Amino acid sequence: MGFFGFKSSREVEEEKRQAAEEAARKVEQTNLTNLNNLSKGSQLNFAIPYFDVFDPRLQDYGVPVAVHGAIVYAIEDMDLFHSVNRNEAYSDETFKNKLRGQLTKFIKSVVVNAPIDAQIPVVQIERKIMEISELVQQRVMPQVEKLFGITIRSLDITSINIDKESRGYRELRALTADLEKDCMMAQHNAQISNFNLNNDLQQDMLRKQSSLNLDAMGRKQELDLGGQEELQRMNLENQRETMRIQREEMQRASRLQTEQTFMGAHQANLNAGVLNNAMDNGINAFRQQPMGGGMGQMGGVPQMPGMGGAPQMPGKGSVPQVQYFIGINGQQYGPCDWQKLQQLVQQGQLTQQSYVWKNGMAQWEFAGNVAELAPLFQGTAPQMPGMPPQMPGM
């Protein structure tokens, strides 16, 4: 200690040093307390006063806008925090003030550029708070975390206010009203144009579809007509085949009838020959017997006219002059004279049930019903029961 109770300079310097060390210890202790608090998380509310925001369509009119919000942050990596803030001796209040200042700068930058970056009209910026918050989170949070070495758990914009009494807002509102009206009219016209275009496209599609349907129906009708024609052709072929079979059956029946008639005529000829022989033998025997009374004086019984031995068929001495047409197997045949008719009867092709006609007759008639032709069928067997007569034109 110096003279008269005064401290020496060395003692004074030592006291200053001790006081500085004590202050440093207190600051360090305070910082450790603050860091412990920050590691648990801290919230900071901020209010950015009015600043001008310009609509990109009308750069001459700035509109005052104020932004309010809150940030929740924490220190999760102490080493990173110390490395970033190693030259700083932050208190809780000084740290918040610096953080608030940086937030104000970054958020104002985002809001001012929002009308251009996000195409948000300034007069509608109050209603676009969610879009502004997303822009702030995307652009501000990474910068603040890197600048302060902290972790931001949330950063929200709670309100955006426009000074509606400002001249800039009134001027902008008046101008944008006309722009909005024109925009609405343009949108309306565009919608009408799109509607007309869609309507024309739909009409064109309907016409094309209708044309395709008509073509398909036409092709189907053609196919149906072709199928009907084919069906008609098949039916006609079937009818022709049926008629051919019926005609063959009738021709076969006619041949059988002709054969049976021929056999009957042949049997009748045999019977007539036997009868003629018997009659000739009986007449000769009668002539050889002696006659008594007046018979002997006359020298015998005179012969009957036309009897020269065997009996003769009626009309045998003269041949009728006739010209007949005959229906044979559905075909017209003729004209035929008497000899030809006799030949056809002998062959069995002309029977009493055959149709005949000649000039002077009103219509075709069965040969058996024509009296002039009756001599042709004497001694012939009649047609078998159940055999159909031959029709003219078959």
Side-chain angles (χ1 to χ4, degrees):
M1 183 173 230
F3 295 101
F4 306 107
F6 292 100
K7 295 181 180 178
S8 64
S9 59
R10 181 179 295 177
E11 290 175 345
V12 172
E13 291 293 332
E14 181 66 21
E15 287 178 357
K16 289 181 178 180
R17 184 184 64 78
Q18 291 176 358
E21 290 178 353
E22 183 64 23
R25 284 195 297 271
K26 289 181 179 180
V27 170
E28 184 177 0
Q29 185 66 33
T30 302
N31 289 340
L32 290 174
T33 302
N34 292 335
L35 292 176
N36 290 331
N37 293 334
L38 290 175
S39 64
K40 298 177 183 178
S42 181
Q43 177 174 333
L44 174 65
N45 297 324
F46 58 86
I48 304 174
Y50 286 108
F51 58 94
D52 287 340
V53 179
F54 294 87
D55 193 293
R57 299 170 296 177
L58 301 167
Q59 295 287 349
D60 296 334
Y61 301 96
V63 177
V65 175
V67 180
H68 298 80
I71 182 173
V72 177
Y73 60 93
I75 300 174
E76 296 182 353
D77 189 343
M78 284 293 182
D79 295 335
L80 175 63
F81 180 82
H82 284 302
S83 65
V84 171
N85 303 284
R86 60 181 179 272
N87 295 325
E88 302 288 343
Y90 285 131
S91 67
D92 186 56
E93 189 63 27
T94 58
F95 181 81
K96 288 183 177 180
N97 289 335
K98 187 173 183 179
L99 179 60
R100 187 180 288 110
Q102 294 297 327
L103 285 173
T104 299
K105 180 178 68 175
F106 292 144
I107 291 173
K108 284 176 66 175
S109 175
V110 171
V111 174
V112 167
N113 293 298
I116 297 176
D117 296 342
Q119 299 296 315
I120 298 175
V122 175
V123 294
Q124 298 179 8
I125 200 168
E126 289 179 324
R127 300 196 300 269
K128 302 295 183 179
I129 189 169
M130 295 301 297
E131 289 82 350
I132 299 296
S133 291
E134 290 180 0
L135 288 174
V136 169
Q137 292 170 4
Q138 294 173 3
R139 300 183 181 182
V140 175
M141 286 176 60
Q143 297 184 60
V144 173
E145 288 179 340
K146 182 179 180 181
L147 182 62
F148 291 97
I150 60 177
T151 299
I152 298 177
R153 294 178 178 175
S154 66
L155 176 57
D156 297 319
I157 303 300
T158 57
S159 67
I160 300 177
N161 300 319
I162 295 177
D163 184 3
K164 296 182 174 62
E165 300 299 326
S166 64
R167 179 174 177 271
Y169 176 80
R170 293 197 302 270
E171 294 287 345
L172 180 64
R173 185 64 183 172
L175 293 174
T176 55
D178 295 335
L179 293 177
E180 290 177 356
K181 180 179 179 181
D182 294 340
C183 182
M184 291 178 62
M185 289 298 299
Q187 291 178 352
H188 178 69
N189 293 333
Q191 291 175 354
I192 293 177
S193 177
N194 291 334
F195 175 79
N196 293 333
L197 179 60
N198 292 332
N199 187 42
D200 293 340
L201 291 176
Q202 290 179 357
Q203 292 294 332
D204 186 57
M205 291 178 62
L206 289 174
R207 285 192 295 269
K208 291 181 179 179
Q209 186 65 38
S210 177
S211 178
L212 292 175
N213 292 337
L214 290 175
D215 292 341
M217 291 177 61
R219 288 194 297 270
K220 185 176 183 300
Q221 290 178 355
E222 290 177 358
L223 293 175
D224 292 342
L225 290 175
Q228 292 178 0
E229 291 177 356
E230 181 65 18
L231 182 61
Q232 292 177 355
R233 187 188 64 79
M234 293 175 62
N235 291 334
L236 182 59
E237 292 293 333
N238 291 335
Q239 292 177 359
R240 289 176 178 174
E241 183 65 16
T242 301
M243 292 177 65
R244 184 187 65 79
I245 295 174
Q246 291 177 351
R247 185 170 58 252
E248 290 180 353
E249 291 294 330
M250 293 181 66
Q251 290 175 354
R252 186 172 62 180
S254 178
R255 285 195 298 270
L256 291 176
Q257 178 184 356
T258 301
E259 292 175 357
Q260 293 174 357
T261 303
F262 177 76
M263 292 177 64
H266 181 64
Q267 184 64 37
N269 290 333
L270 292 178
N271 294 335
V274 173
L275 180 59
N276 290 334
N277 291 333
M279 291 178 64
D280 290 339
N281 292 332
I283 292 172
N284 291 333
F286 178 76
R287 287 177 178 176
Q288 292 175 1
Q289 292 180 0
M291 303 295 293
M295 288 296 183
Q297 295 177 359
M298 293 178 60
V301 179
Q303 189 175 6
M304 291 181 64
M307 295 296 292
Q312 298 180 357
M313 297 292 291
K316 187 175 181 181
S318 61
V319 177
Q321 299 298 320
V322 295
Q323 294 289 330
Y324 277 91
F325 291 90
I326 306 171
I328 300 177
N329 296 330
Q331 301 293 329
Q332 181 176 308
Y333 183 77
C336 302
D337 57 12
W338 189 264
Q339 293 180 352
K340 186 62 178 179
L341 295 175
Q342 288 180 328
Q343 182 181 356
L344 293 175
V345 170
Q346 294 175 0
Q347 294 175 355
Q349 296 184 7
L350 177 59
T351 66
Q352 297 182 32
Q353 282 72 34
S354 299
Y355 278 97
V356 296
W357 178 87
K358 73 172 182 176
N359 290 331
M361 294 177 62
Q363 59 185 0
W364 289 79
E365 187 60 68
F366 287 119
N369 296 337
V370 180
E372 187 178 16
L373 301 180
L376 291 173
F377 305 108
Q378 292 182 0
T380 61
Q383 187 179 10
M384 293 181 64
M387 297 300 291
Q390 297 176 352
M391 296 293 295
M394 290 296 292

